[in-house]
């Protein structure tokens, strides 16, 4: 009914996320109302992009679920509005094609490339900073943007490697990776120490960023610890 595989349920059981009401002698797991409600919450949080480790904290009451849901609610609403605009653009395109009319380029691509985080970013850093970042990103061109995306993937892989190796925050190898991370940030914005650390704290506090880094195999707290050392020494 929940479209959840038995494999996923076994995994949730093994990591202590969702225990069955009881398990029969033949190994079948049985779930009652309380477990179904908990599963519903797990699936909702997964749909919002939250990692299993963070979901466990939410369900254990260690994380403010309401604040986490508020952030994701804003993102979902922004995505809804963006997709609605894209639907209207496609409808206009189809109507113009049917009538043999022409559309301007601005009309044809209305709604594409809009950033659902833009309004929130403006609240955090101001419109001027957002405009500068957008201008820098646009000036890079398609090739430059692809190169930047590849660099971020490489940085994340190195961060995950350092974390797996147990390297301390001030370890030279980790600090060289943090240096690359800072250079990547500077492609669109040049933060001073406070701004860089505020960004790192957002990686920890914002469930969307946490889910992104956890998926890449990086604990946001580990990244922030490295950023703190780098900011103290270099910024």
């Amino acid at each position: 009914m929940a479209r959840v595989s038995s494999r996923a349920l076994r995994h949730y059981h093994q990591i202590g996320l969702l225990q069955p009401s009881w398990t029969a002698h033949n190994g079948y797991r049985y779930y009652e109302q309380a477990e179904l409600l908990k599963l519903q919450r797990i699936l909702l949080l997964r749909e919002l992009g939250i990692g299993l480790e963070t979901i466990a904290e939410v369900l254990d009451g260690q994380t403010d679920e309401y604040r986490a849901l508020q952030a994701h609610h804003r993102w979902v609403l922004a995505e809804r509005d963006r997709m609605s605009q894209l639907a209207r653009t496609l409808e206009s395109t189809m109507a113009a094609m049917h009538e043999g009319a022409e559309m301007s380029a601005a009309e044809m691509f209305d709604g594409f490339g809009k950033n659902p985080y833009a309004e929130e970013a403006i609240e955090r850093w101001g419109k001027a900073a957002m405009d500068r970042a957008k201008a820098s990103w646009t000036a890079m061109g398609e090739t430059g943007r692809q190169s930047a995306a590849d660099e971020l993937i490489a940085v994340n892989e190195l961060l995950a490697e350092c974390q797996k190796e147990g390297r301390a925050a001030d370890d030279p190898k980790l600090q060289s990776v943090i240096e690359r991370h800072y250079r990547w940030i500077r492609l669109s914005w040049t933060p001073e120490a406070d701004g860089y650390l505020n960004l790192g704290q957002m990686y920890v506090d914002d469930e969307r960023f946490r889910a992104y880094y956890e998926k890449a195999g990086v604990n946001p707290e580990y990244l922030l610890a490295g950023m703190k050392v780098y900011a103290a020494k270099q910024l």
Side-chain angles (χ1 to χ4, degrees):
M1 290 172 62
R3 304 291 194 275
V4 178
S5 68
S6 58
R7 180 180 179 181
L9 288 175
R10 287 195 298 272
H11 180 58
Y12 292 167
H13 187 185
Q14 290 169 355
I15 65 176
L17 188 61
L18 178 67
Q19 302 287 342
S21 301
W22 75 88
T23 303
H25 293 298
N26 59 5
Y28 284 11
R29 294 170 173 80
Y30 288 84
Y31 300 85
E32 294 187 337
Q33 183 72 7
E35 287 71 39
L36 294 180
L37 288 172
K38 190 172 186 179
L39 177 60
Q40 182 192 59
R41 294 172 67 195
I42 292 170
L43 296 180
L44 171 63
L45 295 171
R46 288 293 284 162
E47 284 288 330
L48 296 175
I50 301 177
L52 292 179
E53 181 179 334
T54 303
I55 290 176
E57 294 177 358
V58 169
L59 296 181
D60 288 341
Q62 298 174 18
T63 298
D64 189 332
E65 181 180 8
Y66 185 76
R67 288 182 58 191
L69 289 176
Q70 276 186 319
H72 285 279
H73 183 245
R74 289 195 299 270
W75 182 86
V76 169
L77 291 179
E79 276 293 282
R80 178 202 62 186
D81 294 342
R82 187 175 72 87
M83 295 305 294
S84 295
Q85 180 58 57
L86 288 175
R88 289 192 294 270
T89 298
L90 292 174
E91 289 167 359
S92 298
T93 302
M94 289 187 293
M97 292 176 65
H98 181 71
E99 297 169 3
E102 290 187 2
M103 296 180 68
S104 69
E107 293 173 326
M108 194 176 299
F109 296 104
D110 186 23
F112 286 86
K114 291 185 177 179
N115 185 350
Y117 299 108
E119 184 175 342
E120 184 175 342
I122 290 173
E123 291 179 1
R124 285 180 179 271
W125 294 294
K127 189 175 184 303
M130 273 295 295
D131 288 342
R132 288 194 299 271
K134 184 177 180 180
S136 298
W137 190 250
T138 301
M140 291 168 65
E142 184 175 349
T143 301
R145 288 191 290 270
Q146 183 59 54
S147 177
D150 292 341
E151 172 64 5
L152 180 59
I153 292 174
V155 167
N156 287 344
E157 289 176 348
L158 289 171
L159 286 170
E161 182 179 300
C162 287
Q163 179 177 309
K164 187 175 182 180
E165 293 172 351
R167 296 184 179 273
D170 59 353
D171 184 275
K173 180 178 178 178
L174 175 59
Q175 283 303 301
S176 69
V177 180
I178 298 296
E179 167 68 24
R180 287 180 64 173
H181 178 266
Y182 182 73
R183 289 203 305 267
W184 183 85
I185 295 297
R186 288 187 58 191
L187 292 174
S188 57
W189 172 46
T190 304
E192 297 181 353
D194 288 345
Y196 191 50
L197 293 182
N198 285 337
L199 182 65
Q201 191 63 51
M202 187 173 69
Y203 293 159
V204 172
D205 296 337
D206 191 302
E207 297 297 338
R208 294 161 298 186
F209 282 104
R210 175 174 287 278
Y212 167 78
Y213 278 108
E214 287 179 349
K215 186 176 181 180
V218 180
N219 187 324
E221 283 85 359
Y222 181 75
L223 173 55
L224 176 58
M227 292 171 70
K228 287 180 178 179
V229 172
Y230 181 83
K233 292 184 176 180
Q234 306 296 335
L235 305 180

